[in-house]
Amino acid sequence: MASSTEENYLKSLYNLANVQGEVNLSELAASLQVSLPTANSMVKSLQKSGWVIYEKYKPLTLTKEGKKTAALIIRKHRLTEMFLVKVMNFGWEEVHEVAEQIEHIHAPKFFERMDQMLGFPTVDPHGSPIPDPQGKITPLSYTPLAHAKPGQHVQLAALTNSSTEFLEFLNSRKLSLGTQLTILSKESYDQSMVVSYAHHPSETLSEKVCERLLVRVLD
Amino acid sequence: MASSTEENYLKSLYNLANVQGEVNLSELAASLQVSLPTANSMVKSLQKSGWVIYEKYKPLTLTKEGKKTAALIIRKHRLTEMFLVKVMNFGWEEVHEVAEQIEHIHAPKFFERMDQMLGFPTVDPHGSPIPDPQGKITPLSYTPLAHAKPGQHVQLAALTNSSTEFLEFLNSRKLSLGTQLTILSKESYDQSMVVSYAHHPSETLSEKVCERLLVRVLD
DNA sequence: CAAATTTGTTAGAATAGTCTAACTTTGTAA
DNA sequence: TTACAAAGTTAGACTATTCTAACAAATTTG
């Protein structure tokens, strides 16, 4: 069984996986905030345990086992976030830290109960998909708000970034998942967009924000 | 801040504390299932951190700080057990293992929310008192069933032992906290007792069981 | 393409927590 | 009160995870 540290490496590897599912050591080290040699030696040991495929100077890939293990940790993380928000009344900006700890708890029944109490949710409070109990994950197919056209009606469905600061920014604008927006205009100079939604007849969102908001196009 | 390992040492020390609040190294080592040298070296480091008072060949005592830290971990443990039973519908025999892990989570708000959702309980599912947020604990003042006299009416209030096996035994007899018992007789040969309670007109409980059941005398 | 930069590797060390083996103190009991 | 047993200590070693310093390979770029 993986230690918490190992679980964190697998999770990072899973989340960083690029087009080919390949990740550089440096990316991994940066994402975990450890030095390159630390990541290097850990990766060697993950390889010995059969979780990653690794050859000197080559990029890293998770094995099938590694992917599944990672997905199941992410499942626990997202289920926990959902539980904190729906059952324990946390704000969506408060749940990450706690979930980072609870995801390492070994107690299948605890997470099964959460799942059941939540009615088997498929996405977490930030719209990210929750892997199923087998570690299968259905990728999202939403569009960045930045790609929407003036006149379109869209609904906020997920975020590509869930940092506390961004979530607090969204709170301050009363933007939450499900909010329906009408795109009023797009400024070609800086790609910012002017949108309207309930009680907010005109709100300007920067390019950065528009890229982080994933929407479902309604018309 | 204490590591999980250190927290476990403090908790054991707190729970083992005898009359003088003194504990032997061997008791500690046995309770944590580590070797004597391991306990010895850990105790030295706990002393350096100001959590225990220790001198070569002398018994151990927790400092004020150590006691408070321990009580707050026990608070998290018991609050968690209560949450698992009352909110997540676990059986009282299933909660210990999970709580052993969750008690090490650092997330004040998480436990405050539990406390609030539970209506600020003062005892856990096994009748053990929950330390307050300052680490103060009110000791129980119940009587072992073994001390009750034939003819008395008592109510099951707490347990001195909460092992899974004992809890499953109680489940099998439909005995739970709050159950009112009438003591029918006590066998002087083996100290076993014959009691009656809802739907159980006559149930024999061994001395061992009677010593582990703490009751409130009703008349 | 050769230099510069980025990326990855090795070596060596530190800390936390654990162990076994060997030895010393303390406490008990004949 | 000496001898044995129980309890505690020391020394030395091991694993996991981390670091810095020094070096090597790969990649980028003028």
Side-chain angles (χ1 to χ4, degrees):
Chain A
M1 200 170 51
S3 67
S4 292
T5 308
E6 290 173 318
E7 290 189 344
N8 284 334
Y9 276 78
L10 295 180
K11 197 170 47 129
S12 281
L13 247 1
Y14 190 96
N15 284 143
L16 291 171
N18 305 317
V19 203
Q20 314 279 307
E22 292 185 339
V23 181
N24 291 154
L25 240 206
S26 325
E27 288 179 76
L28 180 64
S31 127
L32 288 162
Q33 312 215 65
V34 297
S35 69
L36 226 20
T38 298
N40 183 276
S41 78
M42 188 49 116
V43 152
K44 285 179 187 170
S45 111
L46 290 174
Q47 187 220 24
K48 275 198 189 132
S49 314
W51 279 313
V52 309
I53 295 162
Y54 150 86
E55 267 181 276
K56 267 194 185 181
Y57 299 107
K58 294 274 157 61
L60 298 152
T61 329
L62 283 170
T63 59
K64 195 171 273 285
E65 258 314 286
K67 263 180 220 146
K68 180 168 179 183
T69 303
L72 292 178
I73 298 157
I74 292 167
R75 173 176 165 79
K76 291 197 281 181
H77 182 102
R78 295 186 176 163
L79 230 26
T80 299
E81 290 196 338
M82 203 61 175
F83 187 85
L84 292 172
V85 169
K86 299 291 186 192
V87 177
M88 298 187 76
N89 247 275
F90 277 64
W92 66 348
E93 78 288 357
E94 307 176 301
V95 297
H96 185 73
E97 296 296 298
V98 188
E100 284 285 310
Q101 298 180 66
I102 295 188
E103 69 188 8
H104 300 297
I105 301 273
H106 295 291
K109 186 159 186 178
F110 180 58
F111 296 100
E112 281 160 21
R113 260 319 140 75
M114 278 190 185
D115 198 20
Q116 186 186 311
M117 288 176 72
L118 292 166
F120 310 100
T122 58
V123 296
D124 79 6
H126 314 109
S128 302
I130 298 175
D132 75 16
Q134 281 66 51
K136 286 251 155 47
I137 190 168
T138 313
L140 299 177
S141 55
Y142 301 126
T143 324
L145 174 59
H147 295 181
K149 303 276 174 278
Q152 281 187 319
H153 287 237
V154 302
Q155 185 177 35
L156 195 47
L159 312 172
T160 59
N161 174 290
S162 301
S163 66
T164 306
E165 307 75 53
F166 184 47
L167 294 167
E168 282 172 347
F169 166 80
L170 296 178
N171 284 346
S172 74
R173 303 303 152 99
K174 295 277 177 297
L175 284 166
S176 58
L177 297 194
T179 301
Q180 299 198 5
L181 312 169
T182 304
I183 291 104
L184 300 179
S185 67
K186 182 164 183 176
E187 178 58 64
S188 58
Y189 168 62
D190 66 357
Q191 315 298 311
S192 66
M193 295 175 107
V194 181
V195 301
S196 77
Y197 52 97
H199 309 302
H200 293 247
S202 171
E203 199 72 73
T204 303
L205 303 173
S206 71
E207 183 187 21
K208 186 164 180 180
V209 168
C210 296
E211 279 170 349
R212 289 167 178 220
L213 296 176
L214 296 177
V215 301
R216 198 178 284 121
V217 179
L218 298 176
D219 62 56
Chain B
M1 199 169 53
S3 65
S4 291
T5 307
E6 289 173 319
E7 290 189 345
N8 285 334
Y9 276 77
L10 295 179
K11 198 171 45 129
S12 281
L13 247 2
Y14 190 96
N15 284 142
L16 290 171
N18 304 317
V19 202
Q20 313 281 306
E22 292 185 340
V23 180
N24 290 153
L25 239 207
S26 325
E27 289 179 75
L28 180 64
S31 128
L32 288 161
Q33 312 213 64
V34 297
S35 68
L36 225 23
T38 298
N40 182 276
S41 78
M42 188 50 115
V43 153
K44 285 180 188 172
S45 112
L46 290 174
Q47 187 219 24
K48 276 199 187 133
S49 314
W51 278 313
V52 308
I53 297 162
Y54 151 86
E55 268 182 276
K56 270 193 185 184
Y57 301 105
K58 296 273 157 63
L60 298 151
T61 329
L62 282 170
T63 60
K64 195 172 273 285
E65 258 314 288
K67 263 180 220 147
K68 179 169 179 182
T69 304
L72 292 178
I73 298 157
I74 291 167
R75 172 175 166 79
K76 291 196 281 179
H77 182 102
R78 294 186 176 163
L79 230 25
T80 300
E81 290 196 337
M82 204 60 174
F83 187 84
L84 292 172
V85 168
K86 298 292 188 193
V87 177
M88 298 185 76
N89 248 274
F90 276 64
W92 67 348
E93 78 286 359
E94 306 176 300
V95 299
H96 185 73
E97 296 295 298
V98 188
E100 284 285 310
Q101 298 179 66
I102 295 188
E103 70 188 6
H104 300 296
I105 300 274
H106 295 292
K109 187 159 187 176
F110 181 58
F111 295 100
E112 282 161 20
R113 256 325 138 73
M114 278 189 184
D115 199 19
Q116 185 186 312
M117 288 176 72
L118 292 166
F120 312 100
T122 58
V123 296
D124 79 5
H126 313 110
S128 302
I130 298 175
D132 76 14
Q134 282 65 52
K136 287 250 155 46
I137 192 166
T138 314
L140 299 177
S141 55
Y142 301 126
T143 324
L145 175 58
H147 296 181
K149 303 277 174 278
Q152 282 190 316
H153 288 239
V154 302
Q155 184 177 37
L156 194 48
L159 312 172
T160 59
N161 173 289
S162 301
S163 66
T164 307
E165 308 73 55
F166 184 46
L167 294 168
E168 283 172 348
F169 166 82
L170 298 178
N171 284 346
S172 75
R173 303 301 152 101
K174 294 277 177 294
L175 284 167
S176 57
L177 297 194
T179 299
Q180 299 197 5
L181 313 169
T182 303
I183 291 107
L184 300 180
S185 67
K186 182 164 181 176
E187 178 57 63
S188 59
Y189 169 61
D190 65 359
Q191 315 299 309
S192 66
M193 296 175 105
V194 182
V195 301
S196 78
Y197 52 98
H199 311 302
H200 293 247
S202 170
E203 199 73 72
T204 304
L205 303 174
S206 71
E207 183 185 23
K208 186 164 180 180
V209 168
C210 296
E211 279 171 351
R212 289 166 180 223
L213 296 176
L214 296 177
V215 301
R216 196 180 284 122
V217 178
L218 298 176
D219 62 60

